[in-house]
Amino acid sequence: MNNLVLTIALPLLGAFLLPVVMRLSQALGLWLGPIILGYGCWLLGNLWFNDITLPLSIALGGFDAPYGINLYLDSLALLFAFAVQLLGLICWPYVLNQDTARRQALMLLLVAASTGLALSGDLFNLYVFYELAAVATFGLVVASTTSAAYAATFRYLILSGIGSVLTLLGIALIYSQTGTLNLAHLAQLAPELLHDRLGLTAYLLILIGIGVKAELFPVNAWVPEIYATASSRLSGFLAGLLSKLALLIILRLLVLIFDQPEAVQIILILGILGVISGEFAAWRAKDMRRMLGFSSIGQLGIIFIALSLPDERGLLALLALSLHHLVIKTGLFMLADGWGGSLERLTGAAKRSPVGAALFTLFALSLVGVPPLPGFWAKFTLITELAAQSEPLYLIGLLVFLLATVIETSYLFRIVAKLYSSAETTTEQPEYQHLPGLSLATASLFGITLLAATVLIAPIGDGLQAIAAEAKNAELYIQTVIPVTPGGQL
Amino acid sequence: MRNLTGLLFAGGLGFMLLAIASGIDFGTPPMRIGEAIQSASPQEVGAANIVTSVVLGYRGIDTLGELAILFAAASAAGLVLGRRHTTTGTQRKGGFVLFHGGALIFPFLLTIGFYIIFHGHLTPGGGFQGGVILAAAFFLPLLARPGARLHHSILSVIEAFAGASFILIGLAALAEGQAFLQPMLNQDTLGSLISAGTLPLLYIAVGLKVGAELASLLSNLAQTESEQ
């Protein structure tokens, strides 16, 4: 069990050594990263299939939970940690140039940080990994060399910096009130120490700060620029996974510490605003990658609405929507690898790349929520849950969600129509790029995953239900991390 | 318009901070974890400097994360700086005082830097602080003689192996059947130079990594600037 920490330590080790190894032997250097990530996948996959009793807590440095830092592994954390390693492998920067060593080292750091975000059970440790992920992302985005990338990265740097300061302020406030940073310990103390105005302020600061990565409404101005300039693989990783990890942190805070109606309400409002702004901007976008970026803001807004739902079914909808978005958005960004730039260039592209067009249509259908594709089940769960709430704000959320689906349908199928249109009105076809083979293959992988999920929807639903029930159980978390009598000598 | 929103945001944030500050009870911090660590750490870890036992023992993985952040920042800066077009410009040498003063102070800076690193578990200071002083020692000659170059390949080897040895010390504990980054070896007498088990080794790794990282970053910056 202890070797779970290898999924964080080995990528860090590889990143430190990579520049030197690459100089000694390029072949070895190129294999180093994928081998480490492959080993991580194998390790976590083993945990998944072996019968171990989840959840469990691993003390790092040999100091027990509230004193040292612990890793907390439940099915949800395991699922995300596995997704990080796997997606890191899929989105690996294979490009060969003078910066390969640095770029791959940064990617390893990003994977290590993301795994840490999924597993860590300590508030400040989460902040450290969050910072590491941010800094590694700056480097990876700026590696795409264009001056637009510099401008985009600079904006991201500023916003992310503000977010970090706010988060740190929030954590400092929590520490000043409680004197501890361990999530489980905080969960024990929260009802008497943090459920007041000050605690709520701390929560808001952390929410806005972490929300920068989760593409939360007021702090998402970096999204379209970064996704338009970064490499598609990186955009896929950021939109697909890193945003969900930020969401995971917010979820843990909500379940464990800030279990109050006000905390949920602000998420619902920001989520609704995010859906409206994101979907309308996507509808107006003239560029494939920008459109995907804005649509990602809208999708995360919907996921935030799901996050604000009070019971287990809401969490189930959240998980289903998150995983669905992970598969779809990463796949779409892979397609954008060749189809980036103006949407006009896509006219009649289906003829030249039938597989790509078919995949795009499949993703679009599932994103909109056409049965029997998995997107339908995810959205259906959310709709029934929203409709079951009595508070009027949830009904507004429902209306906005339905409106968003209509807008989504409109802009996605505008592209599908363009792809399959035969009338080539413009005489000169501007430089049409073929989809690179690797990207197409990767996108196909996501397409196959989607189809497999369609067939296996019943067992997946049951599995997610169990994961949701486990993640919602704050008492279980506390008992796992601090097994002694709660509220004893601490 | 943009200025106005900026002003509003800053004003609102300031107001909020004031409101928060008025609500905090200064001077009486809750010491739930702090007190327990203060009383237990000399026996548990064996470092006379309790801050060190927190930084490398109780929260060792945070320190590893900080090292990784520094490494990521240096790599990202390398990506940006390494790409500038190079045009040879005139480089003026530093004056007599800077030149000889730099040469004179170099061994002292090295001594202080290593002293602070080696005594990190006994006195205030440690790997991060000592590493910065080491970097300054190597950067001073560059200021005095702009033509001089640091050996980037040697620096990157030091950097890589220092960072790797931090993790490997942690993994050694794991291989022994203990937890990752668990302090090992003899604790010896509290307060002597060789005490606190693996903690001094960790701090040496941190110091070398920070020093090499900052030195190569600074020389990167200096070269890019002088070449423009």
Side-chain angles (χ1 to χ4, degrees):
Chain A
M1 234 28 43
N2 262 339
N3 52 10
L4 178 69
V5 76
L6 289 181
T7 54
I8 301 172
L10 284 185
L12 286 180
L13 185 65
F16 288 162
L17 287 177
L18 198 61
V20 172
V21 173
M22 201 68 115
R23 218 177 306 141
L24 288 178
S25 143
Q26 207 188 18
L28 187 62
L30 286 179
W31 280 102
L32 187 64
I35 287 174
I36 288 176
L37 296 185
Y39 177 70
C41 286
W42 181 80
L43 200 76
L44 290 167
N46 240 358
L47 282 181
W48 189 266
F49 289 110
N50 279 7
D51 252 354
I52 49 163
T53 44
L54 291 176
L56 52 91
S57 159
I58 296 164
L60 295 176
F63 302 100
D64 282 334
Y67 306 110
I69 294 172
N70 70 309
L71 298 182
Y72 179 76
L73 185 78
D74 60 356
S75 318
L76 184 61
L78 183 57
L79 181 68
F80 272 101
F82 181 72
V84 168
Q85 305 270 335
L86 186 66
L87 213 62
L89 201 57
I90 291 173
C91 299
W92 187 250
Y94 292 101
V95 199
L96 271 183
N97 57 24
Q98 72 208 29
D99 293 331
T100 305
R102 282 204 174 105
R103 205 192 276 242
Q104 297 197 343
L106 285 170
M107 189 67 198
L108 277 175
L109 289 178
L110 182 58
V111 169
S114 307
T115 314
L117 284 178
L119 294 178
S120 179
D122 184 279
L123 196 53
F124 189 76
N125 193 234
L126 282 174
Y127 175 75
V128 169
F129 283 127
Y130 182 75
E131 273 296 288
L132 179 56
V135 176
T137 315
F138 301 150
L140 283 168
V141 179
V142 95
S144 55
T145 70
T146 55
S147 52
Y150 282 167
T153 312
F154 191 68
R155 176 180 280 201
Y156 185 34
L157 196 80
I158 299 287
L159 255 176
S160 188
I162 293 175
S164 293
V165 171
L166 292 182
T167 311
L168 193 58
L169 190 61
I171 294 174
L173 270 181
I174 290 181
Y175 188 70
S176 80
Q177 292 307 101
T178 60
T180 185
L181 290 166
N182 186 280
L183 285 182
H185 197 192
L186 280 173
Q188 285 180 341
L189 299 169
E192 75 181 280
L193 291 175
L194 287 173
H195 285 188
D196 56 3
R197 218 179 39 174
L198 213 58
L200 217 54
T201 320
Y203 161 77
L204 194 63
L205 287 170
I206 296 179
L207 176 69
I208 300 287
I210 301 278
V212 174
K213 287 271 175 319
E215 304 172 16
L216 188 65
F217 166 63
V219 282
N220 52 18
W222 59 273
V223 171
E225 304 296 326
I226 288 286
Y227 292 170
T229 51
S231 77
S232 299
R233 291 175 173 274
L234 181 64
S235 304
F237 190 88
L238 293 181
L241 201 50
L242 202 56
S243 56
K244 308 299 181 307
L245 290 170
L247 209 74
L248 179 68
I249 299 176
I250 298 174
L251 172 71
R252 293 268 197 234
L253 289 180
L254 270 182
V255 170
L256 292 173
I257 305 174
F258 299 105
D259 191 11
Q260 327 168 58
E262 296 94 338
V264 165
Q265 211 162 34
I266 183 81
I267 285 188
L268 179 58
I269 295 171
L270 291 179
I272 289 175
L273 291 174
V275 175
I276 297 174
S277 60
E279 296 292 1
F280 275 109
W283 189 69
R284 293 192 46 167
K286 297 273 187 295
D287 168 311
M288 175 88 158
R289 287 168 184 234
R290 273 168 190 281
M291 188 205 81
L292 290 181
F294 282 124
S295 131
S296 169
I297 292 178
Q299 293 291 323
L300 275 148
I302 294 176
I303 294 177
F304 271 111
I305 293 180
L307 182 58
S308 71
L309 285 166
D311 51 5
E312 249 168 54
R313 298 271 307 164
L315 193 52
L316 172 66
L318 169 77
L319 283 180
L321 284 168
S322 299
L323 293 178
H324 177 248
H325 184 240
L326 194 163
V327 172
I328 297 278
K329 212 23 77 74
T330 322
L332 281 174
F333 269 114
M334 290 297 161
L335 289 178
D337 209 8
W339 288 351
S342 166
L343 291 174
E344 295 304 316
R345 283 169 46 204
L346 295 180
T347 311
K351 247 182 232 161
R352 270 156 299 189
S353 177
V355 182
L359 280 172
F360 187 93
T361 315
L362 176 70
F363 290 146
L365 284 173
S366 189
L367 199 57
V368 168
V370 174
L373 290 166
F376 168 73
W377 299 108
K379 287 195 161 183
F380 186 69
T381 318
L382 180 62
I383 290 177
T384 48
E385 261 316 284
L386 278 174
Q389 304 299 322
S390 54
E391 249 184 86
L393 207 51
Y394 284 111
L395 289 181
I396 298 178
L398 180 60
L399 287 179
V400 167
F401 170 68
L402 292 175
L403 177 71
T405 304
V406 173
I407 302 174
E408 234 166 43
T409 318
S410 148
Y411 66 74
L412 284 173
F413 283 91
R414 208 169 53 196
I415 297 180
V416 172
K418 204 159 268 168
L419 284 175
Y420 283 100
S421 76
S422 52
E424 300 199 5
T425 43
T426 44
T427 43
E428 32 87 51
Q429 277 289 315
E431 11 70 81
Y432 171 79
Q433 284 174 309
H434 273 282
L435 281 173
L438 189 62
S439 304
L440 193 61
T442 321
S444 314
L445 200 66
F446 286 107
I448 292 167
T449 312
L450 196 65
L451 290 178
T454 311
V455 179
L456 298 172
I457 197 75
I460 288 178
D462 291 344
L464 286 181
Q465 188 111 45
I467 292 177
E470 194 183 72
K472 196 81 182 172
N473 192 342
E475 204 50 46
L476 183 67
Y477 192 110
I478 297 172
Q479 287 294 340
T480 309
V481 178
I482 310 175
V484 275
T485 50
Q489 77 277 27
L490 293 173
Chain B
M1 184 62 204
R2 184 167 280 195
N3 287 344
L4 197 68
T5 45
L7 201 66
L8 268 178
F9 178 76
L13 195 66
F15 179 74
M16 195 184 75
L17 289 181
L18 279 179
I20 293 169
S22 72
I24 297 181
D25 207 9
F26 283 107
T28 51
M31 293 284 286
R32 283 193 178 74
I33 297 300
E35 222 142 58
I37 284 182
Q38 268 181 14
S39 56
S41 86
Q43 291 83 45
E44 269 188 9
V45 185
N49 182 358
I50 290 180
V51 174
T52 299
S53 56
V54 173
V55 168
L56 294 178
Y58 293 93
R59 306 194 69 90
I61 188 125
D62 274 355
T63 307
L64 181 57
E66 299 290 349
L67 274 186
I69 291 176
L70 193 63
F71 175 72
S75 298
L79 276 173
V80 177
L81 295 174
R83 197 172 292 118
R84 299 235 182 125
H85 296 295
T86 52
T87 50
T88 43
T90 51
Q91 298 168 347
R92 290 199 311 147
K93 283 200 170 188
F96 177 83
V97 174
L98 184 61
F99 194 83
H100 289 280
L104 196 65
I105 209 171
F106 177 74
F108 292 107
L109 280 179
L110 273 192
T111 314
I112 293 177
F114 277 115
Y115 180 90
I116 289 182
I117 295 174
F118 288 146
H119 289 72
H121 57 298
L122 303 176
T123 56
F128 285 101
Q129 295 85 339
V132 172
I133 295 176
L134 286 188
F138 284 97
F139 186 56
L140 206 58
L142 277 190
L143 285 180
R145 279 170 300 176
R149 289 270 188 277
L150 286 180
H151 289 286
H152 277 285
S153 49
I154 296 179
L155 279 181
S156 69
V157 169
I158 295 177
E159 191 190 313
F161 283 100
S165 52
F166 190 105
I167 300 179
L168 288 176
I169 292 172
L171 289 179
L174 198 65
E176 290 279 307
Q178 291 174 304
F180 181 65
L181 277 176
Q182 183 152 1
M184 292 198 307
L185 302 183
N186 254 343
Q187 287 190 2
D188 273 315
T189 29
L190 182 76
S192 64
L193 182 59
I194 298 182
S195 66
T198 39
L199 259 56
L201 296 179
L202 288 179
Y203 250 167
I204 293 172
V206 170
L208 289 179
K209 179 147 180 81
V210 170
E213 203 105 67
L214 281 183
S216 73
L217 184 64
L218 287 173
S219 83
N220 245 339
L221 279 170
Q223 279 169 25
T224 320
E225 228 159 64
S226 67
E227 276 159 2
Q228 279 202 333

